[in-house]
Amino acid sequence: MEKLIKTNRRDFLKVAATATGGLFIGFYWSGCDSPKMQVLTDDEVLSQALDFNAFLSISPSGDIVIYSPNPELGQNIITSFPMIVAEELDADWSRVRVFQAPLDNDKYDRQLTGGSGAMPHSWERLRKAGATARYLLLSAAGEKLGVSANELEAKEGKIYQNGKQKFEFGELAADAAKLNAPDDVSLKDPKDFKIIGTPVKNVKNREMFTGQPLYGLDVYREGMVNAMIQRPPFGMKIKSVDDSAARSVPGVTDVVVFKNNVAVVGNSTWPLIKAKRQLRVEYEPDGAVESSFDHDRIMKEMLDSKSAQVMRKDGDVENAFKNAAQVISSEYQCPFLSHSPMEPQNFFAHVNGDKVELIGPTQTPDRARMETSQLLGIPKENITVDITRLGGGFGRRLRADFVVEAAELSKILDKPVKVSWTREDDMTGGAYRPAVRYRFQAALDENGNMIGYKLRGAGINAGNSTRENNFPSGSVDNLLIENIEHRSPITTNAWRAPITNFLAYAEQSFLDEVAIAAKKDPVALRLELLDRAKKNPVGEIHYDIERMRGVIETAAEKSNWGKSKDTMQGFSVYFSHRSYVAQVADIVMEGGQPVLKKITAATDCGIVVHPTGANHQVRGGIVDGMGHAMFTNMTFENGLPKQRNFDSYRLIRMKEVPEIEVHYVDSGYDPTGLGEPALPPTGGAIANAIFAATGRRLRSQPFIEQKEFSDIKLQIRRT
Amino acid sequence: MAKFNLKINGSNYDVDVEEDTPLLWVLRDHLGLVGTKYSCGIAQCGACMVHINGEASYSCTLPVSSVGSDEVTTIEGLSKDGDHPVQKAWEDVDVAQCGYCQAGQIMNAAAFLKKNPKPTLEEIENAMNRNLCRCGTYHKIREAVAQAAKLK
Ligand code: FES
Ligand code: FES
């Protein structure tokens, strides 16, 4: 399917004139046959287009304008949302132009990217937006022809009567837009979908692959200044600032101290990077100044503490453990992690009297506005937020710290300002995945049945480090889930698949330990627990037993689970963010050392709206989960991470990813999100495969730093 | 401050900047060529890759004073209409997630394929291992480089 890529830079993205790589206007990027009709610019289309609803306008030229309200950070919602609208509209996809909508509370709700929640939230809304407009176009056509709309048919942007083309959508736009929208409108049967479920190309490919300005760091405004900020270590405040050397760097126009920040200001980036290195800032404690060493001790103490918050309690756990034939007990720990999106944090702000303009990469434009409004005492209505494409988010951009500081600095300087973070700023001024330690205990009877299960989570600023209603809750008669938290000045935040990004690994590894102790096959053990949850549910059950079983069985089948003597396999399954994912990791031994070859994933996310995007999220989630489980560590010393850039903060690279095979279970449910659910099971599948291959149980991340791993030379090879 | 005359994407540019300014910031801040990205600044991620006389190079650690009369190519100048075989393969394979790393990936791949037009998958992996993709699009990148090799 051809697709029209527009190149509107939006008014707010005024970029310095460039000699090459100029504007590509109304250009058919991948099309070989150039269309006969005149191709309008985005501005022309936008100025003519008639609004049908918040998502959709149609221009008399036949061009379809679809607005994507949610921030785009790589989940490709900017393609998949318009696909849904276009599907129900019966649009010609090659005439669709997609625009990122600015923050607008009147038109949209839930304008945020997080929690894999956009798809379930908007699925029906988007379908209705398209279907309503289609209904109005058919009605307008019916009126013109003097027939009932029921006699007409819409297809690929045209209206037909008895198979004969009567109108193009554009010809009807003006009349149709005047009609009253019906309260109810019928939606397509999913089996009639023509756009949904097809591998439509990312609508931003052209801009991305030719280097057009798209991201927050690319924002340029006449009259704006650049700034960088030195922020304090966690738990510290400024004692003194000597900025004389920084001020003398050519290109630096100002140094401003506000709160515990020191901002260097200038007209371009490099002088600021240099000047920041020249700042002499002395800090003093402002509360607890912590190091990883302290956290290790604190988490262990919390696991032994007399009291903890009970999150869920079923049956009589004490009795079960007293009567157990066998008790298995194990502890798992993970470090803090930085989100480290490839685009470091940045934001543009212009406080102009009682008006504020904000532009940049945020996952939560609404929060950015609210916090700016609170800080400056300027009403929300006076603050606009334009959302640029995000060079990754992973949860870091759910916060608004980087927006508010830009707004505050703009007010102080009385100028439009773009605040950019260096990689070091991004890594040391983070909002990290919390460090957590878990203790799991299982009581088995003489037949190897799990009669008791205990989990205590101890986290540093982790909030609830457990997910008390997740599997295996509901399948064990006697169960106790507890949580205990240490409050630290180190800021933590949601990190892709919050909590479950580590909990799943720990729990799925522990279940592997249980299976081995019970002399059961790991897959059989999980299925047996699901059977028990079905026949004899204990307490509330928050997952769909059959969907969970579906992905387990599919992953086992597709991976030939247990069929090959030479392949050592590890199994893992997790339900999070409304989707179900099971994974199997395959290791073979070569020359006495393990080679990780493949991960097979089975996913149930309901209807797969956009297969390319879904594959990206499943594979990307697995690569992400694997990389951080295996390689990445973040340790703190006196309130600062020791890892400050990619030389010491090790991210996974191309040569370190195995083959990944992706399967979907066609459950027919409405679609659920996929930004997160594929990540949690990965670490467990790999750790369990490593155990199967080497007998070494990895109970902490990153794997490569564990002593159990020190004499293992794991290779990762796809062939 | 010092004046430099740079050859970029076939045009000549005069800039007046400090000598130690990395080429990356000259491109982005002074010439408005923002397709070349900043991510680490220490030659670890490849987001800033450009061609210097056809060779894929990290522009974040390359002082403008050492560019001299070398030919610089950025993503904006890789092809006139965005139709370089590597760009086309990137579109066909639909490689990107957030896309932030992809200009650097494309530049690295294009320089690599010029030197090694018929690479094995292993050679592709070795060459592309210089570039980080935080979104984990590595499978797609490998596929697209292999496809571009065929397109050529
Ligand atoms: S920005 Fe140059 S290699 Fe990372
Ligand atoms: S696509 Fe996001 S960093 Fe590569």
Side-chain angles (χ1 to χ4, degrees):
Chain A
M1 197 177 303
E2 295 295 295
K3 185 189 48 58
L4 186 66
I5 294 280
K6 50 316 63 27
T7 53
N8 181 31
R9 306 209 222 179
R10 311 289 306 272
D11 286 337
F12 66 84
L13 265 184
K14 291 229 177 63
V15 168
T18 62
T20 53
L23 281 168
F24 298 87
I25 289 170
F27 191 92
Y28 276 84
W29 162 232
S30 61
C32 29
D33 29 40
S34 66
K36 294 224 181 57
M37 75 246 172
Q38 191 205 345
V39 179
L40 303 180
T41 64
D42 283 345
D43 288 340
E44 286 167 338
V45 170
L46 287 172
S47 66
Q48 296 171 8
L50 298 136
D51 291 347
F52 281 75
N53 49 58
F55 301 96
L56 176 67
S57 313
I58 301 176
S59 154
S61 61
D63 295 295
I64 311 289
V65 171
I66 303 183
Y67 291 98
S68 184
N70 295 54
E72 170 61 50
L73 46 66
Q75 81 281 40
N76 207 1
I77 208 161
I78 201 159
T79 304
S80 55
F81 268 21
M83 284 169 71
I84 301 168
V85 178
E87 176 71 64
E88 294 285 353
L89 177 64
D90 271 312
D92 171 359
W93 181 255
S94 70
R95 304 299 303 276
V96 171
R97 303 191 188 203
V98 181
F99 298 90
Q100 174 73 55
L103 176 64
D104 189 334
N105 288 154
D106 296 335
K107 283 185 172 167
Y108 311 106
D109 37 39
R110 202 187 182 283
Q111 233 182 324
L112 68 92
T113 294
S116 301
M119 191 55 86
H121 171 267
S122 300
W123 170 242
E124 204 174 293
R125 284 180 175 76
L126 296 165
R127 293 181 73 187
K128 279 192 179 151
T132 308
R134 178 176 168 277
Y135 177 92
L136 297 178
L137 290 164
L138 284 167
S139 305
E143 265 176 40
K144 279 194 184 228
L145 297 169
V147 300
S148 145
N150 293 334
E151 289 177 35
L152 305 172
E153 201 199 349
K155 220 169 80 186
E156 282 185 42
K158 301 186 178 82
I159 306 269
Y160 296 85
Q161 186 182 24
N162 301 323
K164 279 209 206 76
Q165 183 187 322
K166 292 290 174 190
F167 302 104
E168 294 196 8
F169 282 3
E171 300 171 70
L172 301 165
D175 291 330
K178 281 188 215 121
L179 300 175
N180 286 331
D183 291 334
D184 260 322
V185 62
S186 61
L187 302 175
K188 282 186 178 175
D189 184 327
K191 74 175 175 0
D192 297 327
F193 286 162
K194 293 189 186 69
I195 299 173
I196 290 174
T198 63
V200 168
K201 297 278 160 53
N202 189 313
V203 297
K204 292 288 170 186
N205 275 347
R206 181 173 183 82
E207 283 121 308
M208 287 191 282
F209 303 158
T210 58
Q212 300 307 300
L214 278 175
Y215 302 90
L217 270 183
D218 306 341
V219 170
Y220 174 80
R221 254 308 171 72
E222 215 46 57
M224 85 175 192
V225 292
N226 288 280
M228 281 191 173
I229 295 176
Q230 176 72 48
R231 301 167 190 83
F234 297 99
M236 302 267 221
K237 62 179 190 223
I238 291 180
K239 190 172 172 204
S240 67
V241 179
D242 173 2
D243 62 6
S244 49
R247 278 184 188 275
S248 68
V249 173
V252 170
T253 54
D254 208 352
V255 177
V256 179
V257 181
F258 67 106
K259 306 224 165 109
N260 276 305
N261 300 318
V262 186
V264 289
V265 184
N267 294 321
S268 62
T269 313
W270 179 242
L272 304 181
I273 294 177
K274 283 204 291 184
K276 228 158 111 309
R277 291 184 194 143
Q278 301 291 326
L279 283 173
R280 299 286 166 258
V281 187
E282 227 189 304
Y283 295 100
E284 61 188 356
D286 185 26
V289 180
E290 297 175 353
S291 302
S292 292
F293 179 78
D294 306 312
H295 294 147
D296 288 348
R297 175 181 50 80
I298 290 167
M299 288 192 287
K300 282 182 190 150
E301 282 170 8
M302 288 197 293
L303 286 182
D304 288 332
S305 145
K306 290 253 156 20
S307 62
Q309 192 185 359
V310 174
M311 307 306 296
R312 176 164 173 153
K313 194 168 192 290
D314 296 322
D316 184 346
V317 183
E318 239 171 79
N319 207 30
F321 276 82
K322 223 188 301 157
N323 297 329
Q326 197 184 160
V327 170
I328 305 133
S329 187
S330 214
E331 292 182 16
Y332 288 81
Q333 188 172 320
C334 71
F336 288 96
L337 287 179
S338 153
H339 300 80
S340 290
M342 286 301 276
E343 178 190 24
Q345 307 311 312
N346 63 84
F347 230 82
F348 170 91
H350 186 192
V351 180
N352 188 3
D354 68 343
K355 293 218 161 33
V356 186
E357 188 185 12
L358 301 171
I359 308 172
T362 166
Q363 292 178 246
T364 50
D366 214 8
R367 178 173 177 181
R369 175 162 67 185
M370 193 186 71
E371 290 191 15
T372 304
S373 163
Q374 282 167 359
L375 177 86
L376 301 177
I378 292 176
K380 267 170 49 166
E381 306 75 66
N382 291 5
I383 304 175
T384 62
V385 188
D386 278 311
I387 309 159
T388 57
R389 188 176 182 87
L390 284 65
F394 308 100
R396 178 65 182 90
R397 293 184 157 112
L398 289 166
R399 291 172 59 89
D401 53 328
F402 49 90
V403 185
V404 178
E405 63 174 20
E408 189 165 7
L409 188 58
S410 170
K411 187 175 160 91
I412 293 168
L413 297 170
D414 196 17
K415 279 186 187 124
V417 62
K418 181 170 74 175
V419 177
S420 309
W421 298 42
T422 61
R423 174 57 56 197
E424 289 80 4
D425 294 337
D426 192 274
M427 217 172 271
T428 56
Y432 308 90
R433 188 274 295 271
V436 181
R437 190 172 175 93
Y438 293 112
R439 177 180 291 159
F440 293 88
Q441 289 168 289
L444 305 185
D445 68 12
E446 56 286 350
N447 298 320
N449 294 316
M450 190 153 66
I451 53 172
Y453 182 88
K454 283 199 267 188
L455 164 62
R456 178 182 278 199
I460 311 290
N461 278 0
N464 176 13
S465 66
T466 72
R467 289 294 178 263
E468 62 277 8
N469 295 318
N470 277 10
F471 183 80
S473 296
S475 71
V476 190
D477 290 341
N478 309 292
L479 172 137
L480 176 66
I481 312 275
E482 296 172 310
N483 180 60
I484 184 161
E485 190 191 17
H486 168 73
R487 303 297 300 174
S488 164
I490 295 172
T491 322
T492 59
N493 200 51
W495 191 101
R496 193 179 194 176
I499 299 300
T500 61
N501 59 47
F502 180 71
L503 173 61
Y505 148 80
E507 174 204 295
Q508 291 294 307
S509 297
F510 182 67
L511 284 182
D512 209 57
E513 295 194 62
V514 171
I516 286 159
K519 303 201 170 47
K520 288 179 180 170
D521 173 76
V523 172
L525 172 91
R526 288 168 174 86
L527 292 174
E528 186 189 300
L529 288 170
L530 285 177
D531 275 342
R532 297 217 339 243
K534 177 142 192 172
K535 288 198 201 103
N536 175 30
V538 185
E540 285 173 52
I541 297 201
H542 288 228
Y543 48 91
D544 183 316
I545 293 168
E546 290 315 314
R547 294 181 78 178
M548 190 117 164
R549 188 197 311 276
V551 294
I552 292 176
E553 287 174 347
T554 306
E557 183 206 320
K558 299 288 182 191
S559 67
N560 293 314
W561 174 256
K563 295 257 167 68
S564 153
K565 274 219 293 304
D566 300 329
T567 311
M568 318 293 158
Q569 295 182 304
F571 196 87
S572 181
V573 60
Y574 213 72
F575 163 61
S576 64
H577 303 283
R578 304 180 191 83
S579 295
Y580 300 77
V581 185
Q583 291 172 18
V584 176
D586 288 1
I587 287 182
V588 295
M589 297 301 282
E590 284 179 17
Q593 292 295 344
V595 184
L596 175 59
K597 291 236 156 159
K598 184 170 156 187
I599 292 174
T600 306
T603 299
D604 180 353
C605 57
I607 293 169
V608 176
V609 174
H610 186 220
T612 323
N615 287 343
H616 259 313
Q617 289 311 308
V618 173
R619 282 221 190 92
I622 290 172
V623 170
D624 197 353
M626 172 174 174
H628 288 92
M630 293 208 52
F631 304 119
T632 321
N633 198 1
M634 174 148 268
T635 49
F636 278 82
E637 202 170 57
N638 299 325
L640 264 188
K642 286 210 271 189
Q643 294 74 13
R644 300 165 53 84
N645 205 324
F646 296 142
D647 51 350
S648 50
Y649 190 72
R650 182 170 165 194
L651 296 178
I652 191 167
R653 286 180 185 266
M654 173 171 272
K655 278 166 75 175
E656 294 158 342
V657 293
E659 185 187 336
I660 296 175
E661 204 179 279
V662 181
H663 300 276
Y664 297 93
V665 176
D666 182 11
S667 61
Y669 284 90
D670 281 356
T672 45
L674 264 188
E676 290 160 306
L679 187 152
T682 306
I686 295 171
N688 293 341
I690 289 173
F691 181 83
T694 66
R696 306 290 172 82
R697 180 63 66 188
L698 295 165
R699 295 197 180 86
S700 292
Q701 293 181 356
F703 298 163
I704 54 159
E705 292 183 20
Q706 305 312 309
K707 65 176 188 307
E708 292 82 358
F709 203 69
S710 56
D711 58 341
I712 296 177
K713 278 202 98 43
L714 179 78
Q715 294 178 58
I716 302 157
R717 248 191 291 121
R718 280 180 267 187
T719 47
Chain B
M1 302 283 262
K3 286 197 170 33
F4 298 93
N5 182 267
L6 301 172
K7 289 206 188 90
I8 303 171
N9 300 331
S11 304
N12 284 297
Y13 292 85
D14 287 318
V15 291
D16 191 3
V17 295
E18 289 294 315
E19 290 180 17
D20 59 353
T21 310
L23 177 62
L24 170 68
W25 298 114
V26 176
L27 295 170
R28 290 187 57 84
D29 287 348
H30 300 276
L31 301 174
L33 293 167
V34 295
T36 305
K37 297 299 186 216
Y38 164 77
S39 187
C40 73
I42 58 165
Q44 288 287 318
C45 74
C48 63
M49 272 192 170
V50 298
H51 296 172
I52 305 288
N53 294 332
E55 192 83 35
S57 313
Y58 301 112
S59 65
C60 66
T61 48
L62 183 71
V64 64
S65 57
S66 69
V67 175
S69 59
D70 291 352
E71 302 268 356
V72 180
T73 309
T74 70
I75 184 74
E76 291 92 341
L78 183 63
S79 63
K80 209 161 130 256
D81 295 316
D83 56 358
H84 185 282
V86 172
Q87 286 167 311
K88 282 208 250 175
W90 245 250
E91 154 81 7
D92 271 2
V93 175
D94 221 358
V95 172
Q97 286 190 39
C98 82
Y100 195 78
C101 73
Q102 301 296 346
Q105 307 272 5
I106 289 171
M107 294 310 282
N108 190 17
F112 163 68
L113 287 175
K114 197 148 193 188
K115 274 204 254 173
N116 185 352
K118 294 256 169 299
T120 63
L121 286 184
E122 207 185 330
E123 287 169 336
I124 293 176
E125 292 193 345
N126 284 335
M128 299 308 294
N129 211 51
R130 297 167 80 189
N131 293 64
L132 281 174
C133 173
R134 176 69 179 83
C135 299
T137 63
Y138 297 122
H139 295 84
K140 291 277 204 177
I141 291 169
R142 189 177 76 146
E143 188 185 336
V145 179
Q147 181 161 328
K150 281 192 215 112
L151 284 177
K152 276 196 149 184

